[in-house]
Amino acid sequence: SLGGRLAVISYHSLEDRMVKHFFRKQARQCICPKESPLCTCHHSPQLNIITKRPIRPTDKEISENPRARSGKMRVAERMINE
């Protein structure tokens, strides 16, 4: 739905990279190849990235739950209604 939020917690760097690239691609106006001189995709942004950098656990949270140490959370908001 319009305005819905997506929060993803990743625990490995490769997972975080996939989430970051997905968010960035869906937040862009145009997804045409850079070599293309004109936009032919007519893509409109579907996400608005809320967190510019991932949210990391606090020292207190890590002391209470050591497995949380590697977690990174990214949040985006949906912009269009399909």
Side-chain angles (χ1 to χ4, degrees), residues 10-11 56-58 61-63 65-72:
S10 58
Y11 292 94
R56 304 293 309 259
T58 62
E61 185 176 358
I62 292 171
S63 68
N65 180 11
R67 290 181 174 185
R69 179 181 64 246
S70 62
K72 294 180 183 179

Side-chain angles (χ1 to χ4, degrees), residues 35-72:
E35 300 82 32
S36 178
L38 296 173
C39 176
T40 57
C41 68
H42 307 293
H43 182 264
S44 59
Q46 296 181 6
L47 294 177
N48 178 31
I49 300 173
I50 304 295
T51 56
K52 300 301 178 195
R53 294 181 180 259
I55 298 171
R56 304 293 309 259
T58 62
D59 291 337
K60 181 177 185 274
E61 185 176 358
I62 292 171
S63 68
E64 293 173 3
N65 180 11
R67 290 181 174 185
R69 179 181 64 246
S70 62
K72 294 180 183 179

Side-chain angles (χ1 to χ4, degrees), residues 13 25 29 34 42 49 61 66-67 79-80:
S13 60
K25 184 174 181 179
Q29 182 69 35
K34 292 180 182 178
H42 307 293
I49 300 173
E61 185 176 358
R67 290 181 174 185
M79 292 179 59
I80 64 168

Side-chain angles (χ1 to χ4, degrees), residues 4 7 18 23 26 28 30 35 40 70 81-82:
M18 289 171 38
F23 278 11
Q26 296 304 317
R28 288 193 349 218
C30 175
E35 300 82 32
T40 57
S70 62
N81 193 8
E82 292 182 12

